[in-house]
Amino acid sequence: MVKVGLTGGIGAGKSEVSRLLAEHGAVIVDADRIAREVVEPGTPGLAAVVAEFGEEVLAPDGSLDRPRLGSLVFADPDRLAALNAIVHPLVGERSAELEREAAAADENAVIVHDVPLLTENGLAPLYDTVVVVDASDETRLDRLVRLRGMAEKEARARMAAQATREERLAVADIVIDNDGPIEALPPRVRTVWEQLSGQRPPAG
């Protein structure tokens, strides 16, 4: 088994890299998806979030109102820390469970943990290899505003809530440059996949 940590700042293109690695055969453990699962209606995670932030973060159907919660935490480091203290341990437990399942199914699996806050939470030592998807702050801001329709103020706040580009690059074993057009990305990911799959022990 090869355990990979994949990260990148918002707007860098990490999700597209994750999708391409999955096409090559990687097992993806998606921290964002798990973070949604652990606060679904009826979960202890959602109950803890409501206890911390109040029922105003609930949508009319009882699910988590993510835009509302985001507006509360991304401009306030203390409230963001409170949210992370609830969600991150739950995500870690579920991620470890999925990793064990994948390794049991294939002892030579390349398991890619897609973790947006890998750098911020000091998780780099947990992985055999850390892959950082990199793009300049200017490129990321443009993508968030132009492609995702975010207000520039919100986009800047979300970027500021994350690690700096320099901090992410400092923990990288492999860097995927995604500052250019989308067409340039697949061959770069293919090269990285060859590096990662080459770390697997030979079959038999």
Side-chain angles (χ1 to χ4, degrees), residues 44-67:
L46 182 58
V49 170
V50 172
E52 176 68 33
F53 294 96
E55 294 195 357
E56 65 185 284
V57 299
L58 290 177
D61 65 358
S63 65
L64 185 62
D65 185 338
R66 293 180 179 282

Side-chain angles (χ1 to χ4, degrees), residues 4-199:
V4 180
L6 173 67
T7 196
I10 186 171
K14 175 182 58 60
S15 295
E16 181 63 13
V17 170
S18 180
R19 186 187 68 78
L20 291 167
L21 287 171
E23 288 185 356
H24 286 293
V27 176
I28 306 296
V29 178
D30 185 338
D32 266 351
R33 180 181 59 77
I34 297 169
R36 291 190 292 272
E37 289 178 1
V38 299
V39 290
E40 286 178 348
T43 61
L46 182 58
V49 170
V50 172
E52 176 68 33
F53 294 96
E55 294 195 357
E56 65 185 284
V57 299
L58 290 177
D61 65 358
S63 65
L64 185 62
D65 185 338
R66 293 180 179 282
R68 173 63 180 157
L69 181 61
S71 70
L72 293 176
V73 303
F74 282 112
D76 186 332
D78 290 337
R79 302 208 84 184
L80 181 60
L83 177 63
N84 289 342
I86 295 168
V87 174
H88 288 168
L90 298 171
V91 172
E93 290 171 14
R94 180 60 177 149
S95 297
E97 182 181 353
L98 291 171
E99 179 185 293
R100 288 193 296 270
E101 292 173 359
D106 177 4
E107 63 181 15
N108 292 328
V110 176
I111 302 174
V112 175
H113 289 260
D114 182 335
V115 186
L117 299 180
L118 181 152
T119 306
E120 293 82 345
N121 292 326
L123 302 178
L126 298 179
Y127 305 102
D128 300 316
T129 301
V130 172
V131 177
V132 171
V133 184
D134 181 54
S136 69
D137 291 348
E138 294 78 9
T139 296
R140 293 164 54 215
L141 181 63
D142 175 68
R143 289 172 181 164
L144 294 174
V145 173
R146 182 170 52 85
L147 301 180
R148 296 198 196 178
M150 266 188 206
E152 182 174 337
K153 182 178 179 181
E154 179 188 0
R156 289 187 181 277
R158 296 210 174 202
M159 290 170 63
Q162 296 185 336
T164 65
R165 185 182 185 189
E166 292 73 23
E167 287 167 339
R168 276 189 297 273
L169 292 174
V171 303
D173 297 302
I174 298 173
V175 176
I176 298 177
D177 179 2
N178 191 30
D179 213 32
I182 192 68
E183 296 79 17
L185 192 57
R188 291 174 180 165
V189 174
R190 187 181 312 113
T191 298
V192 169
W193 170 252
E194 290 168 356
Q195 289 178 259
L196 297 174
S197 57
Q199 295 178 28

